[in-house]
Amino acid sequence: MATILPCEIEFLAEDELIKVTPRFREARLQMISGNYGPFAPGVPLKIPIWMAMNLKSRGLVIVHQPRWMSAEKLKEWLDSENADNTNAIAPLHYHYREISRMILQNCRDNLSDVTEIEQLIEDIWNVRVSKLKMSCKNVLKERWQNEIPDHGGVFKVNNFTQMEVNFIRANFLKGLNVSFVMSNKITDIEQKAAAHQLADDTTNTSSFPTGSSASTLSQFTQSQTQN
Amino acid sequence: MDLSMVDRSPGNYLDLEDIVMSDSKIPCRSRFHLKNIDLHSVPEEFDEGKKIELPLWLAESMTEFVRHEFPKEYTTRFQSILRADPEIVNLHRHEPKYFAKGLKLSSEKLDFPDPRDTVIMLETLLEAASRRMLWIAMQASASKINQSKVECKLDDGEKVHYSQLIAQQEEYKEWKTGRTGIIKESKDRFKSI
C-alpha cells in the first residue's frame, strides 16, 4: 500500500507564504505560482517558503517568525490539547509540523525561544498523534465486535493535519481492509446457510396452503356464505 | 499476502503466495471405500471414514469423495488460545500463512460438517488479526526493541506489514532530523567477493 513520504508532504507545504525582509533590490518576479516582489531592502513582503529558504541560505533575507509559532500561542495550544483526551483541537496551522521543522533548521538566528518552541511542537505532535492512534484503535475494535456495513464504513477525520494522518495511514487502512474482507466472508456464509435452511423448510411443508394464501381462501369462503 | 486476493479466482491463479499456501495440507475423511489412490507414489486403498491428509488445492476438487476437517490450528482449542491472547501466539511456527489459509478454508468448495464452525473460526480470525495489527503497530513505533524477536512470531502477511511500518518510522525519523537529502548507499548493492 503506497503512502506519501514526509518529505513529499513538506514539499507541498513549501508553497505556503511566509513574511521576509529582503536585503537586496529586485523587480517583481513572475513565477508560475504567482508574482512576488518587488524586493526592496528593509521592506517586508510575503513569499513562498521554498523561495524564502533559498534566499535565506544565500543570506539575502531575514525570515520573520510566524505569528502562530510563538511560545505563548504554542503553550496555549498544548494546554487545550491536554484538556481534551479524545478530540483534537483545530491546529494553528495545517502544516505546523513541516513549517516549524524548516524554519527551525534554517532560520534559528531569526527566532526567539528556539529550544522552547522545539519542545512544544514535539509535545503537541505526540499528544495529537496519540489521540489519533487511540481513535483508530477504537474504530478497529468496533469493527470486530459489531457488524461492518456493506460499503465498508465511512470515516471522517476532524482537525488532524496531513502529516499526522499519513503517520497512521498504513496501519489503519490495512486494519480496515482485513476486517472488511473477513466480515464480508462471514456475511456470505451466514446468508448462504440461511438460504439453504429456507430451501429445506420450503420442501418440508404440507400440501394444505398456509400463511396468507390460507387466510385469503377462508375470507372467500366467508363472503360466499354471507352472500 | 493480500487477503482480498485469497478467494478471488481467477485473479489469484498466478499469485505465487496463493500457490504456496494452497499446497499446505488439511485433514479429510473418505466418504466411500476408495481403491488404487496414488497419493504417495504407491497405489493405496482407503476404507470409508479413513483420515487422509490432502493439499488444499486437491481437497477442494475432491469434495465428492472426501469430507473436510479443520486443521488443528483452526480447531476450537487453538482458536480459544488465540482469542484469549493473540499477541503472544507464535503463528509462524504453526502456519506461516495463517490468516490467508483461514480465509481459504471458508471457501464454499470445501465441505465442513457445520457452517457455524466456519463462521466462528472467521470471527476469531477477525478479532485476532485486528488485535495483532494494533500490537504490531505498537512494536514498530517502540524505540528500543529486538525486531527479530517480534518478526519470528508473525505470519508472512504480518511480516510484510511490520517491515513496512518499520520503514515508515525510519523515513519519518530521517525527515525529522533533516537527513532525507543525504545520498545513501543502495540496499540492492551486491558486495563483491
Side-chain angles (χ1 to χ4, degrees), chain B residues 152-168:
Chain B
C152 66
K153 287 189 198 174
L154 308 179
D155 89 335
D156 289 353
E158 288 175 331
K159 275 186 190 169
V160 169
H161 184 55
Y162 181 62
S163 57
Q164 281 172 352
L165 290 178
I166 296 278
Q168 189 187 338

Side-chain angles (χ1 to χ4, degrees), chain B residues 153-192:
Chain B
K153 287 189 198 174
L154 308 179
D155 89 335
D156 289 353
E158 288 175 331
K159 275 186 190 169
V160 169
H161 184 55
Y162 181 62
S163 57
Q164 281 172 352
L165 290 178
I166 296 278
Q168 189 187 338
Q169 293 287 333
E170 288 298 322
E171 275 161 15
Y172 177 74
K173 277 179 195 162
E174 285 190 356
W175 169 78
K176 208 168 84 164
T177 50
R179 286 183 291 142
T180 45
I182 298 171
I183 298 171
K184 283 177 289 199
E185 187 183 35
S186 167
K187 287 175 190 168
D188 298 331
R189 187 184 77 94
F190 291 101
K191 290 183 182 173
S192 58

Side-chain angles (χ1 to χ4, degrees), chain A residues 20-34:
Chain A
V20 300
T21 301
R23 287 182 176 149
F24 64 103
R25 193 173 294 277
E26 183 63 55
R28 187 184 291 271
L29 296 173
Q30 289 180 334
M31 307 252 156
I32 294 170
S33 58

